[in-house]
Amino acid sequence: MPARGASLLLADGERAALIGGYGPEYDVVTPLRIAPEGIEPAGQQYRLVLPDGLEIPRAHSTCRGPGLHMIGKQGTWCRLSLDDLPAD
């Protein structure tokens, strides 16, 4: 598997992304392609950041198909779609 420790999966058709990793890599995104032969990398890994470029705080996160939802400690809610991620 291209991403060790990932805890979240975004998927839509042949496109997918694993999100997460061990320790400080909790915000790493690994783009994937779902092919008949199996899962393969579809670009470089990168970190999720807030729109202003700052680090994403650790939050309760869940995925529903192509959507990632994160709820912060102060009740802030962020949503990210697979379509929001850079294309390969």
Side-chain angles (χ1 to χ4, degrees), residues 13-33:
E14 295 180 1
R15 293 179 56 216
L18 289 171
I19 300 174
Y22 296 120
E25 295 184 343
Y26 69 94
D27 57 356
V28 171
V29 177
T30 303
L32 304 170
R33 182 176 2 271

Side-chain angles (χ1 to χ4, degrees), residues 14-76:
E14 295 180 1
R15 293 179 56 216
L18 289 171
I19 300 174
Y22 296 120
E25 295 184 343
Y26 69 94
D27 57 356
V28 171
V29 177
T30 303
L32 304 170
R33 182 176 2 271
I34 302 170
E37 303 80 33
I39 298 171
E40 54 191 45
Q44 299 278 13
Q45 287 184 321
Y46 55 91
R47 293 189 178 272
L48 285 177
V49 294
L50 294 172
D52 58 8
L54 294 176
E55 181 178 333
I56 290 180
R58 292 184 187 260
H60 174 74
S61 302
T62 189
C63 290
R64 295 280 189 241
L68 167 67
H69 301 269
M70 297 182 301
I71 301 171
K73 292 183 180 182
Q74 284 81 25
T76 56

